[in-house]
Amino acid sequence: MKRFHRDLRLSLIVAALAFGVCWFVGNYFMGHRQVAHDPHQWLHEQLHITAEQDVKLAPIEKKFSNQKKALEEAIIDANHELAAAISKDGNYSPRVKQAVEKIHMAQGELQKATLEHLFEMHGVLTPEQRKKLNSLTTDALTHNP
């Protein structure tokens, strides 16, 4: 029995050390390579947005940010409704169907708002930038839907 406890303690110590080493290596070496991906900044870099254009785009971006936040919250709320309906009903009930429709509606509105936002940006962009924006948009839709 004593040997069992000794072996168990030794196994737990080895496991804790292994976890600690993995955590340290992951955070120390891999953590430095992590860069936050900001789609807004990436798009501005791809389009070579000037400082003057950035100022003109600011209210357009702010308006879209507010719309996007509200629609994402609507999607989250609808997902919660769906979860509650599934939990309570346990089948594809009218409440489940209604929640799914709410999710799809909000997702569709988000896609529509995104496209309206991109086309609203056209008024600030040069013809070359508009062409690049449209190309990036169609590429995203066909390769990363």
Side-chain angles (χ1 to χ4, degrees):
M1 193 64 144
K2 286 183 182 181
R3 182 176 176 169
F4 171 77
H5 289 289
R6 182 177 50 94
D7 290 346
L8 179 62
R9 267 190 307 218
L10 184 59
S11 296
L12 290 173
I13 290 169
V14 169
L17 285 173
F19 174 80
V21 168
C22 289
W23 178 85
F24 175 79
V25 168
N27 283 305
Y28 185 77
F29 292 104
M30 303 306 275
H32 294 293
R33 293 188 186 143
Q34 293 177 354
V35 177
H37 177 67
D38 179 6
H40 173 260
Q41 184 61 35
W42 177 84
L43 184 60
H44 281 228
E45 289 170 3
Q46 295 298 308
L47 297 176
H48 305 289
I49 298 294
T50 66
E52 182 182 332
Q53 287 175 315
D54 202 37
V55 169
K56 291 178 182 177
L57 286 169
I60 295 170
E61 300 289 354
K62 178 70 173 165
K63 182 178 101 177
F64 175 64
S65 177
N66 292 337
Q67 287 176 314
K68 182 179 175 192
K69 183 178 179 187
L71 290 167
E72 287 173 341
E73 288 173 2
I75 292 169
I76 290 168
D77 290 345
N79 277 329
H80 290 155
E81 283 183 39
L82 176 59
I86 290 170
S87 179
K88 185 166 183 155
D89 298 350
N91 60 44
Y92 195 72
S93 67
R95 285 191 321 176
V96 168
K97 184 178 178 181
Q98 182 180 18
V100 168
E101 288 172 2
K102 280 185 179 181
I103 294 167
H104 290 172
M105 177 85 75
Q107 289 171 333
E109 287 299 314
L110 179 57
Q111 187 170 31
K112 180 181 166 188
T114 302
L115 291 171
E116 288 172 347
H117 166 66
L118 293 173
F119 288 120
E120 188 174 3
M121 289 175 64
H122 278 201
V124 177
L125 303 177
T126 67
E128 295 81 21
Q129 289 171 319
R130 284 192 294 268
K131 185 176 179 180
K132 177 75 173 183
L133 177 59
N134 288 347
S135 176
L136 290 168
T137 302
T138 58
D139 188 53
L141 289 169
T142 56
H143 294 99
N144 191 18

